[in-house]
Amino acid sequence: MVYKYDFLIIGAGVAGMSYALKVARARKGKVCIICKTSLDEANTSFAQGGVASVTNLAVDNFEKHIEDTMIAGDYISDPAAVEQVVRNAPEQIRELVQWGVQFDRKQDGTFDLHREGGHSEFRILHHADDTGAEIQRGLMAAVRACPDIEVKEHHFAVDIITQHHMGVRVTRRSPHI
């Protein structure tokens, strides 16, 4: 049997599912996620801690979060990578919430932030003590609800036939075939 997709994503963790949702939202083509077991068996579900993000600029800022991260990494972390992750975290949190992930909130609806590890501010979003399981639950529900994403469970990527295997010279300037 031959399957044709515009995007083939191998692995169904946070990265695979969130990328699939972003590609589907952009209407770039048909997406397939391949996972060797079932969609709910990714290691994401085992993460218990929370997710760090600047969410309240009245009491926190990106520079403090970057500095906390550099200190925690004994200044061997790549500063450009740290800055990129920290500055993009709020948008990624918004996307997770849009996809149905439910972080704990206070009675007034604001995030119930915690302070952990090397963080100097309350910026850890969490869901009880099973944040990873909640993120995975929300992403799985969004993926399963998306008509532009097909999930192939209990599949392995062994042989992938691409255009260049068929004698077509493919470069970054090649027109979409």
Side-chain angles (χ1 to χ4, degrees), residues 88-101:
N88 287 309
E91 177 56 31
Q92 300 310 305
I93 295 299
R94 278 190 286 280
E95 282 191 328
L96 287 172
V97 170
Q98 288 172 354
W99 291 327
V101 174

Side-chain angles (χ1 to χ4, degrees), residues 55-131:
T55 58
N56 184 350
L57 290 172
V59 296
D60 198 4
N61 63 57
F62 297 119
E63 288 70 28
K64 281 198 276 188
H65 190 176
I66 290 166
E67 182 63 14
D68 289 348
T69 304
M70 293 303 295
I71 291 168
D74 201 25
Y75 291 96
I76 61 172
S77 301
D78 180 336
V82 169
E83 181 172 359
Q84 180 181 15
V85 169
V86 167
R87 290 191 185 277
N88 287 309
E91 177 56 31
Q92 300 310 305
I93 295 299
R94 278 190 286 280
E95 282 191 328
L96 287 172
V97 170
Q98 288 172 354
W99 291 327
V101 174
Q102 298 176 14
F103 294 106
D104 289 349
R105 293 181 183 263
K106 296 178 187 175
Q107 295 233 346
D108 66 1
T110 60
F111 291 121
D112 180 22
L113 302 173
H114 287 204
R115 192 172 128 200
E116 298 174 355
H119 295 279
S120 62
E121 297 292 340
F122 287 79
R123 65 171 71 105
I124 309 298
L125 294 97
H126 60 93
H127 178 272
D129 195 27
D130 63 349
T131 305

